[in-house]
Amino acid sequence: GESVGLHLPTLSVQEGDNSIINCAYSNSASDYFIWYKQESGKGPQFIIDIRSNMDKRQGQRVTVLLNKTVKHLSLQIAATQPGDSAVYFCADRFGGSNYKLTFGKGTLLTVNP
Amino acid sequence: DTGVSQDPRHKITKRGQNVTFRCDPISEHNRLYWYRQTLGQGPEFLTYFQNEAQLEKSRLLSDRFSAERPKGSFSTLEIQRTEQGDSAMYLCASSWGQVSYNEQFFGPGTRLTVL
């Protein structure tokens, strides 16, 4: 079956540094990938998404990179702020299945002031 | 606040009791999803509605679980004869559209504790 996993369970950075959170996926049929941020006691919050026909997509302070050759996804956060501290999940969706998301375990990002 | 609301936010029950959760999606969203999340894990898909039709159920959704969306607006998730293994966060999400790529907006979740 499909699986989406994360390389590192925790990441600690200094305020102002750039953060990189990695994710591996196994299903070559996945055509859509999303990064979510989840703060304690809250539901996941959409950050950025990317389709499989793209390699890179940028948002405000965030960039998602997709390497389909090695089935790897990363989220880069520029100038990390204390408010970025949260658990970050990547999720994917099968091509042809336009609803169900499969989430990885999550990476806990801690930003030290 | 994403606009998706869930009620209650917390529920503590004894094993064997029935519980029901409610989700109110963003009003114009025609798709509604239920996920379950245990500590330290990502959300796991349970079921999905398009309007009032339940189009897919995960194998995680045993016979003790039932979900409805009677008028294509709010949805309920009922768990009968709760077990300790049912303790988790139950998340609802909604999205709109007839096209494939639409962001799912998540509610704050209902945290269930089964004693």
Side-chain angles (χ1 to χ4, degrees):
Chain A
E2 72 277 18
S3 68
V4 179
L6 294 169
H7 292 309
L8 295 173
T10 62
L11 178 65
S12 182
V13 301
Q14 291 298 121
E15 181 178 0
D17 288 351
N18 296 334
S19 302
I20 299 176
I21 301 172
N22 296 304
C23 179
Y25 66 95
S26 61
N27 195 322
S28 58
S30 295
D31 69 343
Y32 178 55
F33 304 87
I34 315 99
W35 282 100
Y36 280 92
K37 171 187 179 183
Q38 188 172 25
E39 297 174 283
S40 180
K42 297 183 178 180
Q45 177 186 359
F46 175 91
I47 302 173
I48 191 167
D49 59 3
I50 188 168
R51 301 182 188 185
S52 59
N53 61 356
M54 303 170 67
D55 298 322
K56 179 179 180 179
R57 191 169 187 212
Q58 288 184 295
Q60 185 176 10
R61 285 201 304 118
V62 295
T63 300
V64 55
L65 299 177
L66 176 62
N67 186 330
K68 294 180 289 293
T69 302
V70 295
K71 297 179 185 174
H72 183 267
L73 190 71
S74 69
L75 176 71
Q76 300 178 0
I77 305 174
T80 315
Q81 303 168 359
D84 295 326
S85 294
V87 178
Y88 289 80
F89 294 98
C90 64
D92 76 329
R93 188 181 61 204
F94 280 129
S97 169
N98 58 7
Y99 44 90
K100 182 174 68 177
L101 298 177
T102 300
F103 285 80
K105 286 187 176 182
T107 292
L108 173 61
L109 174 66
T110 302
V111 182
N112 302 308
Chain B
D1 184 1
T2 63
V4 179
S5 61
Q6 293 187 244
D7 183 69
R9 294 291 309 276
H10 299 91
K11 178 69 177 180
I12 300 174
T13 191
K14 293 182 179 179
R15 187 177 55 185
Q17 298 295 306
N18 299 343
V19 294
T20 300
F21 309 142
R22 176 180 171 122
C23 171
D24 286 272
I26 294 172
S27 59
E28 62 268 25
H29 285 184
N30 59 343
R31 296 175 179 170
L32 186 147
Y33 317 79
W34 285 98
Y35 292 84
R36 182 175 69 185
Q37 184 177 27
T38 54
L39 194 63
Q41 303 294 317
E44 296 174 289
F45 172 82
L46 292 178
T47 190
Y48 154 69
F49 291 85
Q50 181 154 312
N51 299 313
E52 67 276 5
Q54 187 174 19
L55 298 186
E56 183 172 340
K57 294 169 61 175
S58 164
R59 63 184 186 279
L60 294 174
L61 218 64
S62 74
D63 292 343
R64 297 184 297 105
F65 288 70
S66 62
E68 295 182 342
R69 194 184 184 198
K71 299 181 180 179
S73 56
F74 74 91
S75 175
T76 58
L77 177 68
E78 181 182 16
I79 309 174
Q80 296 182 325
R81 305 181 302 281
T82 53
E83 302 173 356
Q84 288 185 327
D86 297 331
S87 295
M89 175 78 85
Y90 290 85
L91 292 162
C92 174
S94 70
S95 70
W96 179 87
Q98 304 303 321
V99 296
S100 296
Y101 304 101
N102 288 94
E103 175 186 344
Q104 293 185 19
F105 293 83
F106 282 82
T110 294
R111 180 166 295 284
L112 173 66
T113 301
V114 182
L115 302 176

